Amino acid sequence: MELDLATAELTAVLNRLRRAQGQISGVIRMIEEGRDCEEVVTQLAAASRALDRAGFAIIATGLQQCLTGPEDSGRTGEDRDAMRGRLEKLFLSLA
């Protein structure tokens, strides 16, 4: 199945991934500078969470697209956004 992310969803996922990319670059720099282990691990954990959130957002969007077909075209964008939000929260609660 090909994932078709709407513009707003794609923007949010890309922002999370860019944030994680910056955090990972920061972790590398911190290690090279010999920074405190606790600081490094804290930043690494933040990057991991950002990646997890991006992945869950992609999964939730894909699942929503699988569950909604042409027969659901009468749903409003707000209804679809609410469903997507619920699916994303469900996946996050399982992590």
Side-chain angles (χ1 to χ4, degrees):
M1 177 185 108
E2 195 171 310
L3 185 61
D4 179 28
L5 290 175
T7 304
E9 294 160 345
L10 180 60
T11 300
V13 169
L14 290 174
N15 286 341
R16 286 182 199 270
L17 291 173
R18 286 187 183 102
R19 189 174 318 127
Q21 183 179 32
Q23 289 168 325
I24 291 169
S25 294
V27 168
I28 291 169
R29 193 171 38 257
M30 291 170 78
I31 291 171
E32 290 172 343
E33 294 170 356
R35 299 277 293 271
D36 180 65
C37 179
E38 187 175 342
E39 292 177 32
V40 172
V41 171
T42 299
Q43 285 303 308
L44 193 56
S48 178
R49 283 190 304 274
L51 289 172
D52 287 344
R53 299 262 322 171
F56 287 130
I58 291 169
I59 291 167
T61 301
L63 183 55
Q64 176 188 356
Q65 289 173 8
C66 286
L67 293 175
T68 58
E71 65 278 359
D72 293 322
S73 61
R75 289 188 180 177
T76 67
E78 190 172 63
D79 291 339
R80 286 190 295 271
D81 289 346
M83 182 194 333
R84 184 185 163 279
R86 287 193 311 272
L87 289 170
E88 184 175 348
K89 285 180 184 178
L90 174 64
F91 279 105
L92 288 172
S93 72
L94 297 173

